[in-house]
Amino acid sequence: MENSIYKRLFKLVIKYWPYLVVSTLTAFIYVALNSMSVWLTASLINNILSDFDKLVNEQTQFASSSLLTLNEKLKYWTNGLILRETAKETLQVLCVSILIIFLLKNVFLYLKNITLTIVQFRLITELRNKLYIHFHKLSLSFFNQHKSGELTSIIVNDVENMRRTLTTSFQRLFVEPISIITFTGLLFIINWQLASISVIIIPIAGFIIINISRSIRRKSRRTAVKIAGITNIITETLTSMRVVKAFAMEDYEVGKFLRQTSNYYKLIFHRTRLASLASPITEIMGVIIGVALLWIGGLEVLSGQGLTSEDFIRFILIMFSALQPIRVLSNVLAEIQVGAASAERVFGILDIEPSIMDEVNAIEEISFHNEVAFDHVFFQYNDGEEHVLQNISFSLDKGTVVALVGSSGAGKSTVADLIPRFFEPTSGVVLLDGIDIRKIKIKTLRQIMGIVTQETILFNDTIAGNIAYGQDDISIERILSAAETANALEFIERLPKKFDTVIGDKGVRLSGGQRQRLAIARALLKNPPILILDEATSSLDAESEKLVQQAIEKLMVDRTVLVIAHRLSTVVNADKIIVLKTGQIIEMGTHDQLVASEGVYRSLYKVQFSR
């Protein structure tokens, strides 16, 4: 799994190869200039401390010798660049050279960082877009099984973790290993014996860092799950604040939230504590080895054997310069584990295949002429569970009203959900004009349908925006006409900003009846030939129900309607009434026929109308 995550990240990143090439080249130049700056700094210190005539003589000896070590050649080339007639002129050239190198080094550092920044921001934007687009492809069953807070956390927090990993880690992975290799090479050039001692730190540090990183990966997985839980609590509480306050459950919700944040704190603290260990452990080991080398090398300089003072100064400066990228790299490996844990969750969502998809060569254009028919339909939400619908067969003829009635849990809404393909039958088939709806493109199928449900779904937008939802270039006249037909114009005109009034999340600034009439206006504007009404008046008071019922009657004119209702008064005029019980059709007929038959419908009717 771990290797596949890195492969997938690589495939995403490699598309931006031009930026990566530029970043890699600038990284190499930066490392070269950085190494040169350390080398020249050592030369500066040596030139200040040493006798100038001695330097000139040494350079003359180098020039006349044909058997120079690589270290001596580097010193010869360096002195050839900076040595002048006098010590003062040499110092001046050396200072100017160091200044120019540091300026160039930081210019290339900026170029390296900015090109990688372009890659990581484009990559993360692409990844976030892919997730959001993928959410819209998944069926309702997926969202029934996953909490909205968890999905929000993945698209926000986990993608952000990946961004931070790509920003801080991949940038450093381009530079720090090159710096370590370069500095280590220079150490071996100066004195291979001392360099052999100094590189002991690399495998020891690597062993420690790898073990720490594994633990960080495990804790990062748990941390991502925990922050998703916190996000879900926030989402649920904010969208249900009316219920929380109505039941005086503020203390309960606060307590639940505090327990989650406390657990999250413990996880994040333990993870950070582990990550923070890598750098000091690496640095302490480096300092211990550095002090040992100072002692060994210092004795050689004092005794006049082995190292010269210039080589010793240069070796110590380069060695301590090499500790910095080693320390940084230790943090990088820890940060990568955090990003990898988040990448597992992101890719886990992207790997989920939609359970309902368009067939190859699905029908893209269709019009409704005759009927919607259920042919021996069975349905279960999950394998192994009981069937929610059993052997459902009926037809919804064009221009007729068919009502589904029955107690809660009888399967009425499930029947309605199968028509727009929110779910697929386990067996049997739903037909539109004799065509299996699975052969019709999902978008095409749903475009000929309008749905008004008990739970009115509105958006934090203007009234006009909600009525015209999903339709561009709709004139205000058509919006006004739809609102008037839906009995909504009266209350809209009383609002200070009328159609430009923002109604809040889920239309919280409106009453239930007002929200329902906006939903009906939205369906009217869409003008669908098939209409599904799922208990559209069940939660309203008598006055609101009357207004909404009038709007529904206008909406139903010249349309094919499937209506679900608990209140039988709303369906007495239906062309066909289907009575469901435990997922099976037990009665079917007109209101008069069913009342006369003395069955379940008659009993329900008597209970409601005897009040």
Side-chain angles (χ1 to χ4, degrees):
M1 179 66 180
E2 185 171 339
N3 289 334
S4 66
I5 286 173
Y6 296 134
K7 285 179 182 177
R8 293 179 72 168
L9 283 172
F10 177 76
K11 288 179 180 178
L12 287 171
V13 171
I14 200 64
K15 292 187 293 186
Y16 304 101
W17 65 267
Y19 294 101
L20 296 175
V21 169
V22 172
S23 186
T24 304
L25 291 175
T26 51
F28 275 110
I29 297 171
Y30 165 77
V31 170
L33 291 171
N34 191 39
S35 303
M36 194 181 300
S37 67
V38 176
W39 189 277
L40 287 177
T41 301
S43 298
L44 174 64
I45 296 170
N46 182 64
N47 287 353
I48 293 172
L49 297 177
S50 300
D51 181 13
F52 180 72
D53 292 333
K54 181 181 177 183
L55 288 175
V56 174
N57 290 333
E58 186 181 65
Q59 185 71 355
T60 303
Q61 291 175 5
F62 285 157
S64 59
S65 175
S66 58
L67 297 173
L68 295 178
T69 64
L70 186 53
N71 181 36
E72 289 171 336
K73 287 180 180 178
L74 286 174
K75 287 195 287 185
Y76 173 69
W77 293 333
T78 304
N79 289 334
L81 290 172
I82 62 175
L83 275 176
R84 295 297 182 267
E85 296 296 327
T86 64
K88 183 178 179 180
E89 289 176 351
T90 300
L91 181 61
Q92 182 180 7
V93 170
L94 186 55
C95 290
V96 170
S97 300
I98 290 174
L99 178 62
I100 292 172
I101 287 172
F102 268 89
L103 286 172
L104 288 174
K105 180 181 79 169
N106 283 282
V107 166
F108 283 100
L109 177 64
Y110 171 78
L111 291 174
K112 174 194 71 69
N113 288 341
I114 200 66
T115 48
L116 270 181
T117 298
I118 291 171
V119 172
Q120 57 99 2
F121 275 113
R122 286 192 177 183
L123 176 60
I124 294 308
T125 300
E126 176 191 346
L127 206 52
R128 191 166 276 147
N129 291 344
K130 275 187 174 181
L131 270 174
Y132 190 73
I133 293 168
H134 191 65
F135 284 156
H136 287 279
K137 292 179 181 178
L138 296 172
S139 61
L140 283 179
S141 59
F142 169 82
F143 297 99
N144 291 341
Q145 296 167 9
H146 292 79
K147 297 177 181 178
S148 59
E150 179 187 1
L151 301 178
T152 302
S153 178
I154 289 173
I155 201 170
V156 175
N157 297 318
D158 286 309
V159 172
E160 178 62 18
N161 284 343
M162 292 175 68
R163 186 197 68 79
R164 282 200 299 267
T165 298
L166 288 167
T167 305
T168 59
S169 305
F170 285 177
Q171 284 182 357
R172 290 170 183 170
L173 281 175
F174 268 94
V175 177
E176 309 310 340
I178 304 170
S179 296
I180 293 170
I181 292 169
T182 304
F183 284 136
T184 303
L186 290 174
L187 290 177
F188 274 94
I189 288 171
I190 295 170
N191 190 296
W192 69 268
Q193 294 95 336
L194 292 180
S196 299
I197 299 173
S198 66
V199 297
I200 292 173
I201 187 176
I202 295 175
I204 297 175
F207 176 78
I208 294 171
I209 292 163
I210 288 170
N211 282 281
I212 290 174
S213 297
R214 285 174 181 165
S215 181
I216 289 172
R217 176 77 164 272
R218 292 192 297 270
K219 285 180 170 56
S220 294
R221 290 194 191 101
R222 295 201 294 271
T223 301
V225 172
K226 192 61 66 177
I227 194 63
I230 291 172
T231 305
N232 193 63
I233 290 174
I234 294 170
T235 304
E236 285 184 345
T237 304
L238 293 180
T239 55
S240 310
M241 191 58 74
R242 183 183 293 272
V243 176
V244 173
K245 291 187 176 296
F247 284 83
M249 296 297 287
E250 292 92 340
D251 291 342
Y252 170 77
E253 292 295 339
V254 168
K256 184 167 67 173
F257 184 77
L258 293 180
R259 285 192 296 274
Q260 291 289 328
T261 54
S262 175
N263 292 335
Y264 177 71
Y265 163 78
K266 291 174 183 176
L267 273 174
I268 200 75
F269 176 74
H270 291 154
R271 190 186 78 182
T272 306
R273 186 179 65 184
L274 279 172
S276 300
L277 274 175
S279 179
I281 288 174
T282 304
E283 191 158 338
I284 288 169
M285 288 190 302
V287 169
I288 291 172
I289 293 172
V291 169
L293 292 174
L294 275 172
W295 173 254
I296 297 169
L299 288 177
E300 286 191 16
V301 172
L302 292 174
S303 64
Q305 299 175 357
L307 280 176
T308 64
S309 58
E310 180 184 1
D311 286 339
F312 182 63
I313 292 169
R314 187 170 279 119
F315 188 93
I316 294 301
L317 281 176
I318 293 173
M319 187 194 69
F320 280 103
S321 295
L323 286 179
Q324 174 64 14
I326 292 173
R327 185 175 63 83
V328 169
L329 199 59
S330 68
N331 289 332
V332 167
L333 295 176
E335 290 167 358
I336 285 176
Q337 298 309 312
V338 176
S342 289
E344 285 179 358
R345 286 164 56 80
V346 170
F347 290 136
I349 294 293
L350 289 174
D351 288 341
I352 296 174
E353 291 290 339
S355 59
I356 299 175
M357 298 176 66
D358 288 325
E359 290 187 358
V360 179
N361 300 320
I363 299 169
E364 295 190 11
E365 293 186 13
I366 195 168
S367 55
F368 178 53
H369 297 292
N370 299 314
E371 65 174 9
V372 175
F374 281 67
D375 185 11
H376 300 290
V377 170
F378 288 76
F379 177 76
Q380 59 185 155
Y381 283 103
N382 296 300
D383 292 338
E385 294 183 358
E386 291 185 6
H387 282 93
V388 179
L389 299 178
Q390 301 179 56
N391 200 27
I392 300 296
S393 295
F394 72 92
S395 63
L396 175 59
D397 298 327
K398 184 176 182 180
T400 63
V401 177
V402 173
L404 299 177
V405 300
S407 59
S408 295
K412 303 183 298 295
S413 295
T414 306
V415 170
D417 286 341
L418 294 178
I419 298 175
R421 288 189 70 194
F422 291 154
F423 300 98
E424 299 277 41
T426 306
S427 64
V429 64
V430 180
L431 303 166
L432 179 72
D433 290 344
I435 302 171
D436 186 342
I437 61 172
R438 287 173 291 197
K439 298 183 181 300
I440 303 170
K441 198 167 184 179
I442 295 172
K443 186 175 182 180
T444 301
L445 179 68
R446 292 173 185 171
Q447 280 175 339
I448 63 171
M449 297 180 186
I451 302 173
V452 180
T453 63
Q454 176 183 355
E455 182 187 0
T456 310
I457 307 299
L458 298 175
F459 300 92
N460 189 14
D461 195 356
T462 63
I463 286 177
N466 273 282
I467 294 176
Y469 176 69
Q471 301 185 67
D472 298 327
D473 302 325
I474 297 295
S475 67
I476 190 63
E477 289 77 16
R478 289 186 60 192
I479 294 173
L480 189 147
S481 176
E484 185 176 14
T485 306
N487 288 341
L489 189 59
E490 182 184 354
F491 83 80
I492 294 172
E493 292 292 344
R494 293 199 304 267
L495 297 171
K497 294 185 178 180
K498 297 181 173 53
F499 283 90
D500 292 326
T501 302
V502 177
I503 62 175
D505 289 336
K506 297 186 177 181
V508 69
R509 297 175 188 170
L510 303 177
S511 69
Q514 290 170 339
R515 290 197 295 270
Q516 199 66 288
R517 279 176 275 167
L518 283 189
I520 292 169
R522 182 170 61 195
L524 277 164
L525 192 64
K526 186 179 179 183
N527 195 26
I530 300 173
L531 185 63
I532 299 172
L533 301 175
D534 190 351
E535 301 186 34
T537 63
S538 63
S539 60
L540 303 179
D541 58 79
E543 184 179 353
S544 296
E545 181 184 356
K546 181 180 179 181
L547 291 169
V548 171
Q549 188 61 41
Q550 289 173 355
I552 286 174
E553 288 171 2
K554 296 175 186 176
L555 178 62
M556 291 166 62
V557 173
D558 297 327
R559 287 187 176 83
T560 306
V561 183
L562 179 71
V563 57
I564 299 169
H566 277 303
R567 299 181 186 179
L568 301 186
S569 59
T570 62
V571 298
V572 291
N573 295 321
D575 298 293
K576 185 190 297 180
I577 298 173
I578 298 172
V579 183
L580 291 171
K581 184 177 181 180
T582 60
Q584 300 180 66
I585 296 176
I586 57 172
E587 292 178 356
M588 187 185 304
T590 64
H591 169 73
D592 292 338
Q593 290 170 344
L594 293 176
V595 169
S597 69
E598 299 187 2
V600 173
Y601 181 84
R602 178 185 174 93
S603 300
L604 291 172
Y605 185 77
K606 280 187 174 182
V607 168
Q608 290 192 19
F609 283 88
S610 64
R611 295 173 184 173

